[in-house]
Amino acid sequence: MFPCILKQVTKNRTAVKRGYSTFKEVEKNSTSVTEMIKNELSLLKDGNIESTDRPAEKLLSTKESRETSIEPSVDYVKTLNQSTVRDYTGVYPYVKQGSVFASSINESDFLKELLKLGVNFYELERNLETIPFILGLRFEDVKDHIIFLRELGLEKHIIGQIITKNPFIFKEDLENLNVRVNYLQYKKFTNNMILRILEKNPNWLSYSTQDIDNKLGFFQNNFNLSGDEVRFLTVRCPKLITYNPEKIKLNIFVLKEEMGLLQEEMKKVILKKPKIFMNGQKRLLNTFDYLHNTMKIPIETIVEIPEILTCRQSRLKQRHLFLEKLGRAQYNPKKPNYVALASLVADSDSNFATELAKSSITVYNEFLKSL
Amino acid sequence: MVAQNAAAMWNALRGIVCVYKPAEASVRKLRRDLIMKICKGLNEVDENQYYRPFKPHTSNATELIQQSVDRSVDLRDHPLVYGPKFDELDLSLSWSNFLGWNTSGVLLFGLRSGTQSARYIRENRSSRAYRIKGVFGQATDTGFKNGKVVERSTWRHIKPFHFDKILSAMQAAHQKKMFEMSGIDMQSQLAYELAAQGPIRPINSKLPIIYGIKCIDYEGPEFTLEIQCINEYETYLVGLIHEIGVRLHSTAHCTAIKCIRHSYFNLDHALLSRHWDLKNILQNIRMCNRILAENEHVLKQTSIALR
């Protein structure tokens, strides 16, 4: 395991305990919310629909967002059934993405505040669960979270991006967030490193300290990484750490058993190009198959330049066949007229045709149409 | 030449676009990519301009009007709230000829009101030309090179002479079938007049008919055929290669199928997926519309004769 200290775990536990206490507070709050809903529903019944500044659907969604911590009160459900108010949450899948928030942005000061941060509501609406959640929040609920992120040193627009990608960060308890950042500091991540992690992986703070510790330990054990190397990997590709572990295990299997890489070679690959472990298993194998069996590139070279594994097989095929037709498919650096594999993969088509193949882009276009 | 205004560009996006389909990609994926690229291009043209009316399902809305909105008062149209102005659902796009997974070559898409033209082209059964590569000596379970080899045989006895003989026999059989499929009594005056016009199209859209088949290249076990046909589909062409192999007392499988011509559209007109940007697509639409205007019978057939 990544040198996980017991003290840290206990700290996390206390945080969970504290979390309970705050949950209770939420419960208190929510009873007041149900009362509020009752009041407003009675207003609606009386026919003062226009006088209520909050539409009923928002209130319902307010209720829904709290359901994670409490059971819906029977009274509330009764009033809902008796009244003529409709639950609009079922409509969301059928309206155009972006139109739910568009319909309420002019009225809601909270949404306007989020817009000032640069939150992309269109993206938020992609996940239908976020609609009732966000509409049910008030600015007071999230103010502290935003101040917390700002105090960490994140730029305003980056906070907006984080909220866009992970709105459920507002569900997390503030003290838990603090513990999670403390954990990183404790593991000797510098402030800039932490900022980069949070920017590149907005979901990071939604994972508990225990989870993150396990995940870091998983990478350290599987690739024999030192503490510094774990930190390097985490900062290089923060998304990899919280990526689906099953898929990573599958890709480790692909590299180790199907491609036959050694333990040290795996380590080299993950430090040079961590993204490979997030690629699809089939795609990875297809590319490797073409590189190794058709282009006859030895595994040692692939380990040295792992970015060629991220290239799509079809693209590799097009370029290799073109070079082969011109008689330039020579990938051994020790022989003359060698073609650099890294630029074979990375270059744009026009650059490839003129610089690497010493031909012209029109010839290459013709060639592509002859495939 | 190309308008610098998204509304004008949107209004110009009508008609047929001719694209190049690579092998091992589905037509559905190409369609999705093309829609995505067009919408992305339109959204980047003038980011700060608003267009009305813009409601869900505007696919049938004819014209877009440029309109200025005070963003400080009305936030509903803010790009972060309403999302991209040109939604991928708003752009209707359909193909006029369907090419299978392993087939590459000319593919016609109809954009917006051009979907109607795409339908007419399909229903009018225009002829297509294919270039098919195959190999003698091995039969695979799918008939294509990606299948498992199930049978091996000798092929050295096959000479170009045998090859041509069998192909011309096939062509003759198909020409006979062509007249049978027209549904006319072969002994009548009408049948004579039709035959005098040259090849005719089948009455049914389900029956593949080959008008011309010839070997253009035969080296070692590898050969290339060029086929002019109607109503064909990928598995039919694969089966055809298999049949040729069997008739030559050997076995054969396909290695590549390429559509080189679809009615009047050929590979020179086809856009490579790398060139799918607004400027090239609009140019291509204009060019295709010109071809359609020059050859009216592609959209409106009056005669059974093949043209």
Side-chain angles (χ1 to χ4, degrees):
Chain A
M1 224 199 263
F2 188 53
C4 166
I5 310 297
L6 271 175
K7 195 177 148 196
Q8 204 56 38
V9 180
T10 46
K11 204 173 174 185
N12 193 32
R13 272 196 197 140
T14 51
V16 172
K17 269 184 196 163
R18 279 187 210 142
Y20 268 117
S21 65
T22 48
F23 272 12
K24 273 175 196 163
E25 279 168 33
V26 169
E27 219 164 301
K28 273 181 210 162
N29 271 339
S30 64
T31 46
S32 64
V33 168
T34 35
E35 272 170 20
M36 212 165 68
I37 292 173
K38 272 187 204 165
N39 290 338
E40 300 225 6
L41 284 176
S42 59
L43 273 177
L44 282 174
K45 270 189 200 165
D46 295 338
N48 294 332
I49 302 169
E50 280 149 25
S51 65
T52 52
D53 54 347
R54 282 174 150 219
E57 53 171 291
K58 277 192 198 172
L59 295 172
L60 295 179
S61 46
T62 317
K63 177 70 194 159
E64 198 170 302
S65 69
R66 308 278 165 168
E67 264 172 21
T68 46
S69 55
I70 50 153
E71 293 290 315
S73 73
V74 184
D75 288 2
Y76 163 72
V77 177
K78 270 184 189 167
T79 32
L80 185 69
N81 287 342
Q82 283 162 8
S83 68
T84 50
V85 182
R86 282 196 178 174
D87 186 350
Y88 286 107
T89 43
V91 178
Y92 296 155
Y94 302 104
V95 295
K96 186 192 167 291
Q97 189 185 345
S99 48
V100 178
F101 283 121
S103 65
S104 40
I105 188 126
N106 280 345
E107 285 83 47
S108 165
D109 290 333
F110 168 56
L111 294 185
K112 278 180 194 166
E113 289 300 321
L114 287 187
L115 187 65
K116 277 182 201 161
L117 284 174
V119 173
N120 193 334
F121 289 99
Y122 179 77
E123 286 298 322
L124 273 183
E125 239 175 78
R126 203 178 286 277
N127 181 359
L128 293 177
E129 283 173 26
T130 58
I131 303 173
F133 175 67
I134 292 287
L135 288 179
L137 288 173
R138 288 165 304 168
F139 189 61
E140 295 85 69
D141 299 337
V142 304
K143 202 172 76 187
D144 293 340
H145 287 77
I146 293 172
I147 291 172
F148 170 76
L149 291 174
R150 194 80 181 92
E151 277 174 356
L152 282 178
L154 286 166
E155 297 285 326
K156 218 170 102 184
H157 67 276
I158 291 171
I159 296 177
Q161 280 170 21
I162 290 176
I163 297 170
T164 306
K165 290 275 157 57
N166 181 19
F168 296 113
I169 198 170
F170 293 141
K171 263 189 186 171
E172 301 295 332
D173 197 64
L174 210 58
E175 283 189 37
N176 278 343
L177 295 186
N178 224 336
V179 169
R180 286 162 200 178
V181 172
N182 280 343
Y183 170 79
L184 285 178
Q185 283 166 348
Y186 185 79
K187 293 294 176 195
K188 293 182 196 154
F189 284 92
T190 63
N191 219 8
N192 283 341
M193 282 166 149
I194 294 174
L195 292 188
R196 189 185 144 85
I197 291 172
L198 298 187
E199 186 190 336
K200 296 289 171 193
N201 186 354
N203 289 322
W204 185 279
L205 284 179
S206 289
Y207 289 89
S208 72
T209 321
Q210 186 70 61
D211 276 352
I212 293 285
D213 193 61
N214 285 343
K215 282 168 195 292
L216 289 176
F218 169 81
F219 282 99
Q220 185 168 39
N221 285 341
N222 269 291
F223 297 95
N224 292 336
L225 302 176
S226 69
D228 269 341
E229 281 163 346
V230 172
R231 274 183 285 274
F232 173 77
L233 177 68
T234 313
V235 175
R236 179 91 195 267
C237 191
K239 269 188 187 160
L240 179 73
I241 306 295
T242 59
Y243 200 69
N244 184 357
E246 293 305 315
K247 286 189 179 164
I248 293 175
K249 278 177 195 163
L250 203 64
N251 276 338
I252 290 176
F253 178 81
V254 169
L255 260 72
K256 208 174 190 173
E257 311 293 337
E258 297 188 278
M259 297 188 192
L261 261 64
L262 301 173
Q263 194 64 38
E264 305 89 71
E265 291 174 333
M266 297 260 289
K267 185 176 169 180
K268 261 187 188 173
V269 170
I270 199 169
L271 289 177
K272 270 192 180 168
K273 201 78 192 168
K275 209 183 138 195
I276 286 174
F277 287 84
M278 297 197 286
N279 280 354
Q281 169 212 21
K282 211 176 159 190
R283 176 187 155 149
L284 207 57
L285 258 182
N286 278 344
T287 308
F288 177 78
D289 182 43
Y290 198 80
L291 277 171
H292 192 62
N293 296 332
T294 313
M295 291 166 73
K296 304 286 177 207
I297 291 166
I299 290 185
E300 292 76 44
T301 321
I302 296 177
V303 172
E304 286 303 315
I305 321 163
E307 56 263 38
I308 51 177
L309 277 177
T310 58
C311 184
R312 242 176 293 144
Q313 193 216 19
S314 57
R315 187 176 155 102
L316 213 54
K317 200 171 171 182
Q318 288 170 355
R319 297 190 167 191
H320 172 66
L321 288 177
F322 187 58
L323 287 176
E324 207 166 46
K325 200 180 180 194
L326 298 174
R328 290 187 166 272
Q330 207 288 93
Y331 306 114
N332 189 349
K334 283 167 189 161
K335 289 182 186 166
N337 282 335
Y338 122 91
V339 174
L341 280 169
S343 43
L344 176 80
V345 170
D347 276 12
S348 68
D349 272 349
S350 56
N351 216 4
F352 161 76
T354 50
E355 300 294 321
L356 284 180
K358 312 279 184 215
S359 178
S360 74
I361 185 73
T362 43
V363 177
Y364 185 53
N365 285 345
E366 293 277 302
F367 173 77
L368 287 181
K369 282 186 185 178
S370 76
L371 277 180
Chain B
M1 197 158 99
V2 176
Q4 284 303 312
N5 176 329
M9 282 183 175
W10 171 263
N11 295 334
L13 277 172
R14 286 179 190 143
I16 294 286
V17 57
C18 177
V19 301
Y20 181 81
K21 177 193 174 295
E24 291 172 16
S26 69
V27 176
R28 282 183 182 79
K29 184 184 169 288
L30 290 192
R31 176 184 180 271
R32 214 165 45 230
D33 284 1
L34 188 60
I35 291 180
M36 199 192 76
K37 285 188 178 173
I38 291 175
C39 288
K40 203 176 158 213
L42 283 171
N43 286 323
E44 281 167 1
V45 175
D46 38 7
E47 285 176 16
N48 294 317
Q49 191 60 54
Y50 289 103
Y51 299 102
R52 294 279 179 86
F54 234 164
K55 294 191 178 73
H57 317 300
T58 47
S59 56
N60 292 327
T62 45
E63 300 289 329
L64 290 177
I65 316 152
Q66 222 167 332
Q67 199 173 1
S68 61
V69 178
D70 188 0
R71 204 185 276 180
S72 58
V73 181
D74 192 353
L75 288 165
R76 286 177 299 179
D77 279 327
H78 195 284
L80 286 179
V81 179
Y82 200 83
K85 287 168 287 181
F86 293 91
D87 192 89
E88 290 174 16
L89 287 175
D90 291 338
L91 188 69
S92 52
L93 202 149
S94 68
W95 51 80
S96 98
N97 58 326
F98 189 87
L99 300 179
W101 169 262
N102 290 313
T103 314
S104 59
V106 181
L107 182 64
L108 296 184
F109 278 125
L111 266 169
R112 297 184 64 217
S113 60
T115 51
Q116 192 76 342
S117 316
R119 198 185 125 216
Y120 287 144
I121 294 173
R122 183 169 63 241
E123 289 180 351
N124 280 328
R125 298 196 280 286
S126 44
S127 70
R128 287 183 280 262
Y130 283 84
R131 200 162 278 182
I132 305 176
K133 283 182 185 167
V135 178
F136 283 124
Q138 285 178 342
T140 60
D141 55 351
T142 55
F144 206 77
K145 65 177 173 187
N146 50 18
K148 235 188 329 187
V149 177
V150 289
E151 198 182 330
R152 284 174 198 277
S153 58
T154 53
W155 53 268
R156 287 189 191 276
H157 61 275
I158 303 169
K159 299 282 178 292
F161 161 72
H162 299 114
F163 209 173
D164 291 342
K165 205 169 113 184
I166 215 110
L167 292 182
S168 53
M170 276 182 132
Q171 189 178 327
H174 269 273
Q175 272 176 9
K176 200 181 162 200
K177 197 172 107 187
M178 168 181 89
F179 284 106
E180 280 169 5
M181 287 306 146
S182 64
I184 298 165
D185 181 15
M186 293 295 271
Q187 299 301 323
S188 62
Q189 175 68 20
L190 190 61
Y192 170 76
E193 280 163 14
L194 273 180
Q197 285 181 15
I200 54 173
R201 288 173 297 130
I203 204 87
N204 192 320
S205 64
K206 298 283 181 289
L207 291 163
I209 287 201
I210 292 169
Y211 291 97
I213 176 167
K214 63 178 177 188
C215 176
I216 53 169
D217 186 31
Y218 178 51
E219 260 177 59
E222 286 164 11
F223 60 90
T224 310
L225 298 181
E226 200 168 290
I227 295 181
Q228 318 278 336
C229 50
I230 270 184
N231 292 342
E232 82 304 325
Y233 39 92
E234 194 180 270
T235 40
Y236 175 76
L237 296 172
V238 168
L240 191 78
I241 297 295
H242 178 75
E243 198 190 322
I244 290 170
V246 171
R247 284 219 210 164
L248 288 166
H249 308 294
S250 177
T251 44
H253 70 264
C254 257
T255 52
I257 305 176
K258 189 164 63 164
C259 177
I260 53 171
R261 181 182 61 82
H262 180 285
S263 60
Y264 290 87
F265 302 93
N266 58 31
L267 283 176
D268 296 337
H269 302 123
L271 267 186
L272 279 172
S273 63
R274 181 151 47 82
H275 295 136
W276 291 355
D277 53 42
L278 264 185
K279 196 182 155 202
N280 283 324
I281 288 171
L282 285 171
Q283 265 176 10
N284 195 282
I285 288 175
R286 215 172 296 133
M287 185 190 66
C288 291
N289 285 349
R290 205 186 311 125
I291 293 173
L292 289 180
E294 281 167 9
N295 307 288
E296 276 181 1
H297 61 270
V298 176
L299 293 181
K300 215 173 186 180
Q301 284 281 12
T302 49
S303 157
I304 192 172
L306 182 76
R307 283 188 280 194

